[in-house]
Amino acid sequence: MSKPYTGKTLGVIGLAAIFIIVLAIYFVLSQDKNNEPVVRKNTISMGESARIIDYNRGIKITKPSDVEGLKGASPSFKKFILNDLEIYKKDLKIPGCTVEISVMKIYNDEFALGSVKQCDSESDHIWKKENNNWSKVLAGTINSPKWSCSGVELYRIPSALVPECME
């Protein structure tokens, strides 16, 4: 015959059950049903702040109408992404291959973080706006170290986008 649980054991089991329930409720409530971007301002130094648009799981761009999902992005960035998409599509040489550009974060309408998938390959990208023109400044493969930290320093990419290069 087994021993009945003591009050202490029941208390621990009860606390564990409450913890699991609270964790489950938090998880359900924190899910972003519409994948809406999170816009936040971070104080970087001496009162300066940065506007970061975080698209959570990323906004996937495969056709022109998809850029409407880039809520809060500037018209110049949306235009750049569409132009980039068309360039990648023109470069495809293998029938049946597709192109997908994902945008993860935009920093002060000066930098953006995302990735590009072509056929079976994918690479992470950092785009930068200089003189009102966007361009890719860094690309890294998914399975290797993503960024050259010297490149991050050279292009003055904010640590909010590449925390792995922080000293």
Side-chain angles (χ1 to χ4, degrees):
M1 194 170 200
S2 64
K3 291 183 176 182
Y5 290 113
T6 65
K8 190 174 186 178
T9 303
L10 289 174
V12 169
I13 292 171
L15 282 174
I18 290 170
F19 176 75
I20 290 170
I21 291 168
V22 168
L23 192 61
I25 291 170
Y26 172 78
F27 180 76
V28 168
L29 292 177
S30 68
Q31 294 301 301
D32 185 5
K33 307 287 189 266
N34 300 319
N35 200 22
E36 288 294 316
V38 175
V39 178
R40 63 182 188 271
K41 287 196 177 236
N42 288 3
T43 301
I44 34 183
S45 67
M46 307 258 280
E48 290 183 52
S49 65
R51 181 176 185 259
I52 301 170
I53 303 170
D54 188 341
Y55 293 106
N56 300 312
R57 294 176 296 276
I59 301 298
K60 295 175 183 2
I61 312 295
T62 59
K63 58 189 182 300
S65 61
D66 292 339
V67 296
E68 296 310 314
L70 293 173
K71 294 181 173 87
S74 68
S76 68
F77 182 71
K78 290 178 181 181
K79 182 179 178 183
F80 165 74
I81 289 296
L82 283 179
N83 288 339
D84 229 21
L85 181 67
E86 290 309 309
I87 290 168
Y88 282 114
K89 284 183 176 183
K90 285 179 185 174
D91 287 346
L92 286 179
K93 305 291 186 226
I94 302 170
C97 278
T98 60
V99 176
E100 175 185 287
I101 297 177
S102 292
V103 178
M104 304 301 287
K105 293 182 182 181
I106 299 175
Y107 181 94
N108 276 353
D109 194 40
E110 295 171 7
F111 293 92
L113 176 69
S115 64
V116 175
K117 279 187 193 177
Q118 285 181 287
C119 303
D120 292 331
S121 69
E122 182 175 4
S123 59
D124 290 317
H125 285 226
I126 294 180
W127 301 286
K128 182 178 182 178
K129 182 179 177 182
E130 280 188 306
N131 301 321
N132 292 320
N133 293 309
W134 285 92
S135 63
K136 175 181 70 179
V137 292
L138 289 179
T141 59
I142 300 298
N143 296 324
S144 67
K146 286 185 183 182
W147 316 115
S148 152
C149 290
S150 60
V152 167
E153 187 177 314
L154 174 69
Y155 292 108
R156 298 176 184 225
I157 297 168
S159 60
L161 297 180
V162 285
E164 60 269 28
C165 287
M166 288 289 298
E167 292 185 317

